[in-house]
Amino acid sequence: MNDSLRAEALLADLPREGRGRLKVFLGAAPGVGKTYAMLQAAHAQLRQGVALRAGVVESHGRSETEALLLGLPQQPALRLPYRGLELSEMDLDGLLAAPPKLALVDELAHSNAPGSRHAKRWQDVQELLAAGIDVYTTVNVQHLESLNDRVRDITGVQVRETVPDWVLQEADEIQLVDLPPRELLERLRDGKVYMPEQARAAIDAFFSPTNLTALRELAMQTAAARVDADLDQRYRQLGQAAPSVLGRLLVGVDGDGEAERLVRHACAVAERRHLPWSVVHVDSRAAMDEAQRGRLQAALRLAERLGGEVVTLHGDSVARTLLDHARERRASLILIGSSARRLRRRWFGRGLGERLLAAGAGLEVSVLDAAGAQIPAGRRTRIAPRWRDYLLATLAAACATLISLGLARVLELPNISLVFLAAVLLVAVRSSLGPALACSGLSFLAYNFLFIPPTLTLRIQRQEDVLTLLFFLLMAGLTGNLASRQRRQVQALRQAQGETTALLELSRKLTVAADRQAVLAVAEQQLGGWAEMQLTLLSRSTDGQWRHEGGQQAELADTERAAADWAWQHEQPAGLGTDTLPSSRWWWWPLCGEEGPLLLIGLQHVDGAPLADTHRRLVAALGQPLAQALARAQLAEELEAARLHGQTEELRSALLASVSHDLRTPLTAMRGSIDSLLALGEAIPLADRRELLEGTRDEAERLDRYIQNLLDMTRLGHGGLKLARDWVAPSDIVASALQRLRAVLAPLQVECLLPAQPPLLHVHAALIEQALVNVLENAARFSPPAGRLRVALEYDAQELRFIVADQGPGIPEAERAKIFDMFYTAARGDRGGQGTGLGLAICQGMVGAHGGRVTVGEGLDGRGASLTLHLPLTTQPQAEDD
């Protein structure tokens, strides 16, 4: 090793005088526990007598984090004004004025408020380090500057707050705080990361299992890269190259019949040797038929299920590409399968294993013997060309012969061979290599028999004609091979384009699917478009009963039910064309999420034939986004149910509080009056007895109104409100409402502004009267004694308006939308704070049932508030003769 590199490694390891040490707690996503781990480490330092202070710690309302923070000394936050608000930031100068040995600075990528010394918090950390203060900090992997584009491609979210990579590279220690995606999603659902509404939005936008897994991989790669860098630096200090400490197993797979067997063997080897392992497929642009592609996809899916990493590489040389990747990943073992020894390999002895052994110095290369292995029926590597293709080869050779006979008089002999070459090229483009070689052989014989002297014999008289025939046969074979290969590549590209198009179309449709039914409709539409296929979608309840979710209604016999049950329980395909219950008429494919199966897809050919590999591969490709969409919809439904449960509990508590207080208040007054009458009887003067009885009647009427409001609210909530419309004069509604509330309105100055002949309303008179009563009672409750209260009627061509204005304390802009919520009450004014909070909610419901609305405005003389009932006007009835 170069001495200069060794010197640089030694100098880099020397402690930097006067500079603090930086420890970074690295996580894959918010909620994995970085801050919690940092506070635990801080408590350990505190018990050892280290003087520390928490500069800034963001608990985000998490009780466990706040509990750990309570026992630590904290630096008071700095308050900075910004656009009428007061923002809280870390007091950098306060930490520097009385520097602790260790400072806790959470969220390294945070952007400071305007007016701070530095724009970014990581710059504050650099200043603390320069002052000799050790720093514990936290950061998520998506905030690294070099990973910004990759994170955007993975999550679709552009991270704005970033940290330069050199900040982490210069850190003295990086601790990876890891949490599996499933546990993080459980914390999210439990409200330990965000509130339920925020959690649902976060899951839709960022916290999907796929995104979390990818971010977790990035975090592990970042931490592993730091470990590799430290290891490399230690060995450079010794003047040696760093070896592979743990190593990795790479298994190379192709589309042969041994792919799945090879993957299983690799998994067993990796478990025995305790090695991480990867399944690598090198795409060398060689032609693969449908069966080979199907076997390759099955092997890659098996590797994913067994816990291996799946990697697809592109390169002209399989051996060189595998070796380059092995050195890049510091692999110690390459495992491949033994391929059939073709003729040219028997001559030259240079198969893939030999090439790897020749160039892979320092690597262990193992070849799994395929002796005795059998390719399952229906999965053979070569598919016999159809007889029509050979018929096409024969006809093409015959047509070329006839055309050449017609052109023999005007063309020289070498040019006639071009006609036969064109025929071979046509057959190769239209069919495959076998028919193209057959056409080449027939053309060779016809060219020799009819055109090369002596004609009508297969003998060749001139030596130059022998060379011409050999070149013709060589060119025909090469041309046919190239054309056939090009045709297969075009077919593969078309198939890949079709799958990509289907995935894009599915993704586009799933973006607008908001619930489970919408996702199921998309799945049925996307998978049910094959005319020769029948589709069914099933799900299973907790008691084991199958439920039809879409597609064709499938009758599950014993065999079908057993295959469906097995596929659901084991989360693997079963049924027709598989190794599990192949006698089934349906092919079952489960869509699985983090917590188990979500849906079972069943496909059946109308003729009972096995499914083509194309259909299986497309279902497998579409299954992952469908499963993610179903999981997202299920989580959204659970969050919505939790939100509704919370609202129900809130309403129930409010109703109990209302019943326990507001409904008992009139009962208490009535009971006191009745007890007085019973106890004293005739001893009470007649006027006092009358007053007690009138008070009892008023309280009874008040209790009756409360109960009527509760009943009306119940009918509105359950859709039981029926409208018995009739024509009524609005002035009669006002008069009846004022009469019902004469005792309540007695202390007030009531003004009525009614037009002479207002138009008639076609409404349920009792409901509109009740709505007006609720508005009047609300205005009376908040009006001061002897205050003014105005009731007015206004109308135009479209609507009629009941306006009730008072001189109470008014309703602020922020509360005007809340006063129509159930159980919402205000406590302003001399007479406020009474009632159940149902009156205006019922009023809005009753008016809304007639197609109207309720609005809030200013009150009388710049005081109070006004509520207006807007009711639509209809065509007036014809006046009847008296």
Side-chain angles (χ1 to χ4, degrees), residues 433-446:
L433 181 59
L437 293 177
C439 182
S440 175
L442 292 174
S443 300
F444 172 82
L445 293 175

Side-chain angles (χ1 to χ4, degrees), residues 199-216:
R200 179 172 55 185
I203 291 174
D204 291 340
F206 193 85
F207 285 82
S208 68
T210 304
N211 291 350
L212 293 178
T213 303
L215 292 174
R216 188 186 185 198

Side-chain angles (χ1 to χ4, degrees), residues 587-792:
W587 176 72
W588 302 105
W589 179 273
L591 299 183
C592 305
E594 289 287 333
E595 299 180 354
L598 301 170
L599 187 71
L600 192 64
I601 297 177
L603 286 175
Q604 168 182 251
H605 201 283
V606 292
D607 298 332
L611 269 69
D613 289 334
T614 305
H615 292 157
R616 296 173 186 266
R617 187 166 58 254
L618 186 58
V619 171
L622 300 180
Q624 184 176 6
L626 281 174
Q628 292 176 355
L630 286 173
R632 184 175 65 248
Q634 180 177 341
L635 181 58
E637 291 175 358
E638 293 174 355
L639 292 174
E640 181 67 16
R643 186 184 66 84
L644 292 177
H645 179 71
Q647 290 184 348
T648 302
E649 289 297 317
E650 182 181 352
L651 292 177
R652 185 180 66 85
S653 301
L655 177 60
L656 290 176
S658 176
V659 170
S660 63
H661 179 267
D662 293 304
L663 297 185
R664 291 183 61 183
T665 299
L667 287 175
T668 302
M670 294 166 60
R671 182 177 178 179
S673 299
I674 294 173
D675 290 343
S676 299
L677 291 172
L678 289 175
L680 300 178
E682 298 295 335
I684 301 176
L686 181 61
D688 293 340
R689 276 183 290 165
R690 183 177 182 84
E691 183 178 355
L692 289 174
L693 289 173
E694 289 180 351
T696 303
R697 181 195 61 193
D698 293 341
E699 294 298 331
E701 291 178 352
R702 177 183 172 189
L703 180 62
D704 179 69
R705 289 195 300 272
Y706 285 164
I707 295 175
Q708 184 62 39
N709 282 344
L710 289 173
L711 294 176
D712 290 342
M713 200 69 248
T714 302
R715 288 192 298 163
L716 284 172
H718 290 82
L721 190 63
K722 306 297 182 183
L723 297 182
R725 293 178 181 266
D726 198 1
W727 293 101
V728 62
S731 54
D732 293 342
I733 295 177
V734 174
S736 179
L738 293 176
Q739 179 64 23
R740 286 175 58 184
L741 296 175
R742 62 186 183 278
V744 176
L745 300 176
L748 304 175
Q749 303 177 24
V750 180
E751 304 175 6
C752 289
L753 302 179
L754 307 178
Q757 292 183 347
L760 299 179
L761 290 173
H762 192 243
V763 295
H764 192 305
L767 293 181
I768 299 302
E769 178 184 331
Q770 183 62 43
L772 185 58
V773 166
N774 290 346
V775 173
L776 287 170
E777 185 179 14
N778 184 77
R781 186 167 67 247
F782 286 96
S783 295
R788 293 170 55 203
L789 190 148
R790 177 184 297 169
V791 183

Side-chain angles (χ1 to χ4, degrees), residues 294-310:
R295 287 192 292 273
L296 175 61
Q297 293 296 329
L300 298 181
R301 290 195 300 270
L302 176 63
E304 290 178 345
R305 292 198 301 270
L306 296 178
E309 179 189 20
V310 175

